[in-house]
Amino acid sequence: MVIGITGGVGCGKSAVLSILEEDFNAHIIDADKVAHRLMEPFNPAYDKIIACFGEAVKDRGGFIDRRKLGQIVFNHKEKLKCLNSIVHPMVKEAIMEEIRDINSLKTLIAVEAALFIEAGYMDICDELWYIYTDNESRIERLIKSRGYTREKTESIISSQLSDSEFRRHCHIIIDNSGSRADTKAQIAAALNNQSRK
């Protein structure tokens, strides 16, 4: 079984993945880490990104500076479209390859991607789970954990899919606003329901 884990920034996807891995023996695939790997020198996306954005996105070591790249695409739709057209198909293919390689070894695989719906990854999963946390809790988490300002955090949240859009596309909603035990109980119930199908 392959579960897609998605939700907005600061909703606690990492906490849910930790529970799935530690308590339910899931194999975790993080789309962002896959993208990092593909963007390193001598990997498929690297040359294409340099061709699209220029040498200015490199750091002193010749690696792509993801912060610089993020600043370029954040308020520039055409540049973001170019980046997504390079990275998303390659990430999706790499994830599908990893799933094929491990499918015989693990009964539960969780794939995490913030842009699951927008990137069209839904077809690689049996179920898509939306990790929900109220906006104020998300803002507080991001200010505390990443040092973001409230303004920056609200800007990022408003640029992502709305709560109603996530709910429309996802099969399961996990409310991650409470304790770890509460989140774990919801995950157990969702997996139990899936096993009965």
Side-chain angles (χ1 to χ4, degrees):
M1 179 184 173
V2 181
I3 301 166
I5 303 292
T6 193
V9 64
C11 69
K13 293 184 293 292
S14 296
V16 170
L17 292 173
S18 172
I19 293 168
L20 283 165
E21 184 174 35
E22 292 169 18
D23 298 301
F24 299 97
N25 198 32
H27 178 91
I28 306 300
I29 302 174
D30 183 331
D32 202 37
K33 288 180 181 173
V34 173
H36 284 204
R37 190 173 71 241
L38 295 174
M39 289 166 64
E40 289 176 356
F42 311 111
N43 279 285
Y46 181 84
D47 290 336
K48 291 185 178 182
I49 290 170
I50 300 302
C52 181
F53 294 92
E55 299 287 324
V57 295
K58 287 184 184 179
D59 64 17
R60 289 181 181 177
F63 289 82
I64 291 171
D65 186 323
R66 291 172 55 83
R67 183 170 288 186
K68 281 184 190 173
L69 190 58
Q71 289 169 347
I72 291 168
V73 302
F74 188 68
N75 290 314
H76 200 298
K77 287 187 178 179
E78 285 305 310
K79 293 282 188 183
L80 179 61
K81 194 174 177 181
C82 177
L83 180 63
N84 288 344
S85 71
I86 294 167
V87 175
H88 288 320
M90 291 183 181
V91 170
K92 185 177 180 180
E93 182 53 43
I95 289 171
M96 289 168 67
E97 193 174 311
E98 188 169 344
I99 289 169
R100 285 193 294 269
D101 288 347
I102 61 173
N103 226 349
S104 59
L105 303 173
K106 291 266 187 176
T107 57
L108 182 61
I109 300 166
V111 182
E112 186 271 320
L115 302 177
F116 226 108
I117 295 161
E118 302 93 316
Y121 294 172
M122 294 179 293
D123 59 337
I124 66 175
C125 297
D126 299 304
E127 278 189 354
L128 191 54
W129 290 12
Y130 167 41
I131 312 308
Y132 166 80
T133 303
D134 65 272
N135 278 3
E136 191 55 37
S137 296
R138 292 166 65 194
I139 290 166
E140 287 173 12
R141 282 178 188 174
L142 291 167
I143 290 171
K144 194 173 181 179
S145 67
R146 300 190 193 178
Y148 291 173
T149 62
R150 174 172 283 272
E151 184 182 33
K152 179 174 181 176
T153 304
E154 288 174 345
S155 174
I156 294 169
I157 288 173
S158 68
S159 73
Q160 297 182 330
L161 289 183
S162 66
D163 177 64
S164 59
E165 277 294 297
F166 277 118
R167 289 176 186 270
R168 188 164 68 84
H169 288 284
C170 295
H171 306 95
I172 301 288
I173 290 93
I174 302 292
D175 187 338
N176 193 34
S177 304
S179 66
R180 188 183 194 279
D182 182 49
T183 299
K184 181 180 171 181
Q186 292 176 66
I187 291 169
L191 293 173
N192 191 42
N193 286 341
Q194 176 63 32
S195 69
R196 290 176 181 174
K197 290 179 183 177

